[in-house]
Amino acid sequence: MDAFDDALYSALMKQAPAGIAFFDTELRCRRAGDALAGLLGVPGDGLERHTPAQALPAALAAEVEAALREVLAGEGAPLETDLIVSARAGGPADAEGAENPGNAGNAGNAGNVGNPGNAAGGGLAAPLPLGTAGGLGPGDRVLSCLWLPVRGADGAVRGVALTAHDVTERRRAEEIIRRKEQRYRSLVEASSQVVWVTGPDGRPLDDAPEWRAITGQTPEDYAAGGWLAVVHGDDRARVEAIWNECVADERVFETGYRIRTRSGGHRHFDVRAVPIRQGDEVIEWVGANTDVTGQKEAEEMRGRLTEQLSAAALRTARLQQATSMLAEALTVSQVVQVITEVGRSAIGADYSAVALLDDDKLRLSIVTPSPPGGETAPRPATRDDIRVSDQTVMSVAVRESRPFLAQHPDELRLQLGRDEAELFTQHNEERAWVGLPLLAAGAPIGALRFSFTRPREITEEERVFLEALAGQCALAVERALLLEREHKTAEELQRSLLPTALPQLPGMVLAARYNPATRHVQVGGDWYDVFRLPDDRLAVAAGDVMGKGVLAAAGMGRVRNALRALALNDPRPAAVLAGLDRLFSATEDEEQFTTVAYAVIDPETGQGAFSNAGHPPPLLISPDAPARVSSNEPGTPLGWPSQRQQTSFSIETGNTVVFYSDGLVENRRRGVDAGLEELVSVAADAPPEVVGDPERLVDFLVDRMLAGYEQVDDVTVLALHVPPKTV
């Protein structure tokens, strides 16, 4: 070599970042670069003039020598392998160690995870079992090795050249991703739901093997038509129209349909798909299908039986009508109203009454029916309650758990020894009576009473109808009682998790509203919180836990309490949300969707900081500028990978900031974007005297935003107003 070649060769061996070595046909290392020695954990000259067995731990040496022999014995094709250099291994394989100045316990090998048997150029590295015995442990390294034959002038293989690169971090990252994918798939497979994913345009994005196992679709079929391709023909147009509307409006897709299965039959599925957003942009849709065939078949069986009964007699048709009406009654008063209407139309009853047993089972309390408008109508002419021990139509029916019939006044007096004029003084023209027990699980919960203004014979068909009607009434009453108790409990629970009072501040006025979705009795996950920090600054938060019921409320409570605890330790908004991210990832389900907006404000100056985890942007109202919503990046919901950002926050004199939940701006007929635009428009229309009074402002916003829409979600609104300075 000339001087330039010597310098080039020396630089390559000394300074190249990749590990380099040359071996002769006797497997002896002729030259080794400094980088390779560092990767293997041996001194710089620990490899040269030695075979791998003399310089390296036994397991690692065996893998190196196996690769060398394969290249030397093969047809000269390069070989790619992965080697794991273990920090836990001992010294070199040479028992004597006289020639070996190498590793005294820093290098070893847990085996080649590549494919050294592939003479055509090696194989891709298999996933590494991180943290397992024989796998990649703490301190271990993975080397990606390329073994190249070195040929002489005559073309014969004279040795092997090795280049090695440290790919440890890449392999660890790949394994972490693989583990997460396996965990997610295991969770999906363990549930009763089948998950699919589409792109933002609704077209299939990833394969869905679980879905195809049910439908029999090939991957090509699914890629072309997706889940829609197997929807029953009678359902296809409806489902596709709803799906396209939801994709266009970027709103949650929920419906039910039948699908064609692999066997050629059909099964019923309910589906719910949600748009996954990155900022304001939908990046994909994730749908979950639930097989409800058993439920649908049961419903269809009940429907068939009802149809058979309806065809048998007119009384059954009337009972079916009553059942339908009772199914829509959500309160006991509404149930009584339905019974009054059915009794009048089906059997010509002039009067009706429903009484429920008190908790002590000793008295029956008359329930007042609700008029069509829903208001409570007084019943001043009836006594408040009846003792079960009394001789009355309803008391006898309850005591004996059987129908009571009196077809004229003489029969009533004969059976009771009296009449009921003192109980129903406004009905003194009654001449025939029917009393029916309301039974739930065989036990009485009340009684149903019909009366007529003329003597009336009750036929056997009418008796059967009335007993069936009483059964439906009992179910409706029991359901209504449960719903009323649950509704009361739900609202009390929801309100108990909200602040009982807002801080009173000299330079800032606060007001809040919580409007539960009264149509649904389950408690929601909407919440707000305002509390003073140790340094007298004000912490303000608003959040929403997806879903309904006690689980959503429990999640809300956990997030709210955790936020308070984190804020007392480090109140910075970005730090608090980052702490919630960690807590959420460790304790909550991956499917849970929770948003939080959090600010820290100095009430004396109005200055502060703000951070948002996917919650609707605050509304800013100023007397000197148009109303607007914050344009700051909303961030991702809690638990999603994110670097929480914190922005400055200021409430100037005379300005108002409003935090709110999505129930204020979003419903089944109005998407989020349209709702935000409408909110800004409503705020712009607010009179100055309303803007200056937070109590009136929150009422104004709620009333105007909900007007004309069915409220299907809870609504929380929190307003902070800095009044003008008085001179």
Side-chain angles (χ1 to χ4, degrees):
M1 296 185 187
D2 58 22
F4 177 76
D5 290 339
D6 287 342
L8 182 61
Y9 180 74
S10 176
L12 182 65
M13 301 303 293
K14 295 291 185 181
Q15 302 177 26
I20 301 174
F22 299 95
F23 295 86
D24 58 23
T25 56
E26 297 180 354
L27 309 186
R28 189 174 300 277
C29 180
R30 302 296 296 272
R31 290 296 303 272
D34 291 351
L36 180 64
L39 292 176
L40 296 177
V42 299
D45 58 353
L47 290 174
E48 294 186 5
R49 301 181 305 281
H50 296 88
T51 65
Q54 294 172 329
L56 300 174
L60 181 59
E63 294 296 336
V64 173
E65 291 187 356
L68 291 171
R69 289 191 178 95
E70 183 168 347
V71 175
L72 292 172
E75 298 179 357
L79 176 67
E80 294 182 17
T81 66
D82 278 357
L83 296 177
I84 299 179
V85 180
S86 174
R88 298 165 292 177
D94 183 5
E96 298 299 326
E99 294 183 326
N100 182 23
N103 181 12
N106 186 40
N109 181 33
N112 177 12
V113 297
N115 183 16
N118 186 350
L124 295 176
L128 298 175
L130 300 183
T132 61
L136 188 61
D140 293 351
R141 294 191 301 277
V142 182
L143 305 184
S144 177
C145 300
L146 178 62
W147 311 82
L148 300 170
V150 177
R151 300 180 183 277
D154 57 357
V157 176
R158 303 295 187 183
V160 178
L162 165 65
T163 61
H165 298 268
D166 190 335
V167 294
T168 306
E169 295 306 317
R170 188 177 72 190
R171 291 289 190 268
R172 288 185 185 273
E174 291 171 351
E175 178 60 19
I176 291 172
I177 293 173
R178 186 184 68 85
R179 284 287 183 88
K180 288 184 176 180
E181 290 176 347
Q182 287 180 337
R183 188 179 302 116
Y184 169 75
R185 184 165 297 278
S186 297
L187 288 173
V188 170
E189 291 175 351
S191 71
S192 61
Q193 295 181 325
V194 182
V195 177
W196 46 263
V197 181
T198 74
D201 59 355
R203 298 180 181 274
L205 186 63
D206 294 330
D207 189 19
E210 296 86 358
W211 179 254
R212 292 192 295 98
I214 297 172
T215 64
Q217 292 173 283
T218 65
E220 294 75 19
D221 293 337
Y222 184 80
W227 57 271
L228 269 172
V230 291
V231 173
H232 191 284
D234 293 343
D235 300 337
R236 176 70 179 266
R238 171 184 61 84
V239 173
E240 188 169 11
I242 297 174
W243 170 239
N244 290 335
E245 289 176 4
C246 291
V247 170
D249 297 340
E250 298 182 353
R251 56 185 172 87
V252 174
F253 169 64
E254 286 185 286
T255 190
Y257 50 75
R258 293 163 291 173
I259 68 156
R260 185 185 68 252
T261 64
R262 177 189 296 272
S263 63
H266 288 88
R267 298 191 70 81
H268 294 267
F269 277 81
D270 283 347
V271 63
R272 175 182 172 87
V274 297
I276 305 302
R277 301 178 184 276
Q278 190 172 65
D280 293 333
E281 182 181 357
V282 173
I283 59 173
E284 65 182 14
W285 288 77
V286 176
N289 292 63
T290 304
D291 191 331
V292 294
T293 305
Q295 175 184 338
K296 291 294 185 181
E297 289 177 348
E299 293 174 356
E300 291 172 359
M301 178 63 72
R302 287 195 296 270
R304 285 193 295 270
L305 291 175
T306 301
E307 290 174 2
Q308 294 171 4
L309 292 172
S310 298
L314 179 60
R315 67 178 185 278
T316 308
R318 289 169 174 166
L319 180 61
Q320 188 177 25
Q321 179 185 17
T323 302
S324 176
M325 296 172 66
L326 288 170
E328 297 178 359
L330 299 180
T331 67
V332 177
S333 293
Q334 291 173 352
V335 171
V336 176
Q337 180 63 31
V338 170
I339 292 300
T340 300
E341 296 174 1
V342 172
R344 182 180 299 111
S345 63
I347 61 173
D350 297 294
Y351 305 108
S352 63
V354 175
L356 300 181
L357 276 172
D358 291 346
D359 293 338
D360 57 10
K361 308 298 182 183
L362 299 177
R363 307 188 79 85
L364 287 163
S365 298
I366 303 295
V367 179
T368 303
S370 293
E375 299 83 3
T376 300
R379 291 281 301 277
T382 62
R383 208 170 69 181
D384 290 337
D385 51 33
I386 304 168
R387 290 180 297 181
V388 174
S389 59
D390 286 344
Q391 284 297 95
T392 69
V393 171
M394 289 192 285
S395 298
V396 172
V398 168
R399 284 202 310 270
E400 300 181 10
S401 294
R402 66 170 180 83
F404 176 94
L405 303 177
Q407 302 180 77
H408 53 77
D410 290 342
E411 188 175 342
L412 177 69
R413 284 189 291 269
L414 180 64
Q415 295 189 66
L416 299 181
R418 51 166 290 181
D419 60 31
E420 292 189 334
E422 64 191 65
L423 294 178
F424 297 90
T425 55
Q426 83 278 28
H427 300 162
N428 54 17
E429 71 275 27
E430 293 176 341
R431 294 296 180 267
W433 299 262
V434 177
L436 299 153
L438 301 179
L439 304 176
I445 61 173
L448 174 61
R449 180 185 189 273
F450 293 111
S451 60
F452 308 84
T453 58
R454 65 189 184 283
R456 175 75 150 78
E457 179 184 358
I458 304 298
T459 66
E460 184 61 27
E461 287 184 354
E462 288 175 331
R463 180 187 176 113
V464 171
F465 167 77
L466 290 172
E467 290 184 8
L469 178 62
Q472 293 297 325
C473 180
L475 292 175
V477 167
E478 186 179 35
R479 183 183 68 249
L481 289 172
L482 178 63
L483 291 177
E484 288 178 352
R485 286 195 295 267
E486 187 177 351
H487 187 278
K488 182 179 179 181
T489 301
E491 188 168 347
E492 289 177 352
L493 175 60
Q494 177 75 34
R495 293 187 184 279
S496 71
L497 295 173
L498 299 175
T500 56
L502 297 175
Q504 300 297 316
L505 306 171
M508 184 177 294
V509 183
L510 291 80
R513 288 292 180 273
Y514 164 61
N515 273 33
T518 54
R519 181 177 174 84
H520 305 282
V521 300
Q522 287 188 306
V523 64
D526 294 11
W527 61 280
Y528 64 87
D529 200 6
V530 183
F531 55 95
R532 299 294 291 266
L533 296 169
D535 59 3
D536 287 334
R537 287 186 298 169
L538 196 66
V540 180
D544 187 2
V545 177
M546 182 184 66
K548 296 288 183 184
V550 176
L551 290 178
M556 180 195 84
R558 289 194 296 271
V559 174
R560 174 179 176 268
N561 293 337
L563 184 143
R564 282 203 170 206
L566 291 167
L568 293 176
N569 180 57
D570 183 353
R572 293 175 302 153
V576 169
L577 293 191
L580 288 176
D581 281 332
R582 293 190 296 272
L583 177 67
F584 200 89
S585 298
T587 63
E588 303 296 330
D589 294 336
E590 291 186 4
E591 293 81 4
Q592 186 57 268
F593 188 92
T594 299
T595 64
V596 174
Y598 173 64
V600 175
I601 307 168
D602 186 339
E604 295 185 358
T605 64
Q607 302 297 315
F610 172 76
S611 189
N612 193 355
H615 202 69
L619 173 66
L620 312 175
I621 305 176
S622 172
D624 304 323
R628 60 185 178 88
V629 293
S630 173
S631 59
N632 291 330
E633 175 66 33
T636 60
L638 293 183
W640 291 32
S642 176
Q643 182 69 35
R644 295 300 176 190
Q645 301 298 318
Q646 179 173 303
T647 60
S648 60
F649 187 83
S650 176
I651 309 179
E652 304 296 335
T653 299
N655 290 1
T656 304
V657 175
V658 181
F659 296 87
Y660 52 92
S661 63
D662 60 358
L664 184 68
V665 295
E666 183 181 23
N667 54 49
R668 292 171 181 170
R669 294 166 46 201
R670 179 177 62 194
V672 174
D673 292 339
L676 292 175
E677 292 178 2
E678 188 171 340
L679 178 63
V680 171
S681 177
V682 168
D685 291 341
E689 61 273 17
V690 171
V691 174
D693 184 348
E695 293 285 348
R696 296 176 62 185
L697 177 62
V698 293
D699 286 338
F700 180 85
L701 294 175
V702 171
D703 292 344
R704 292 283 295 273
M705 289 299 294
L706 299 184
Y709 296 103
E710 178 188 7
Q711 184 184 348
V712 296
D713 196 4
D714 296 344
V715 173
T716 56
V717 181
L718 173 64
L720 290 76
H721 174 68
V722 177
K725 304 294 184 181
T726 57
V727 180

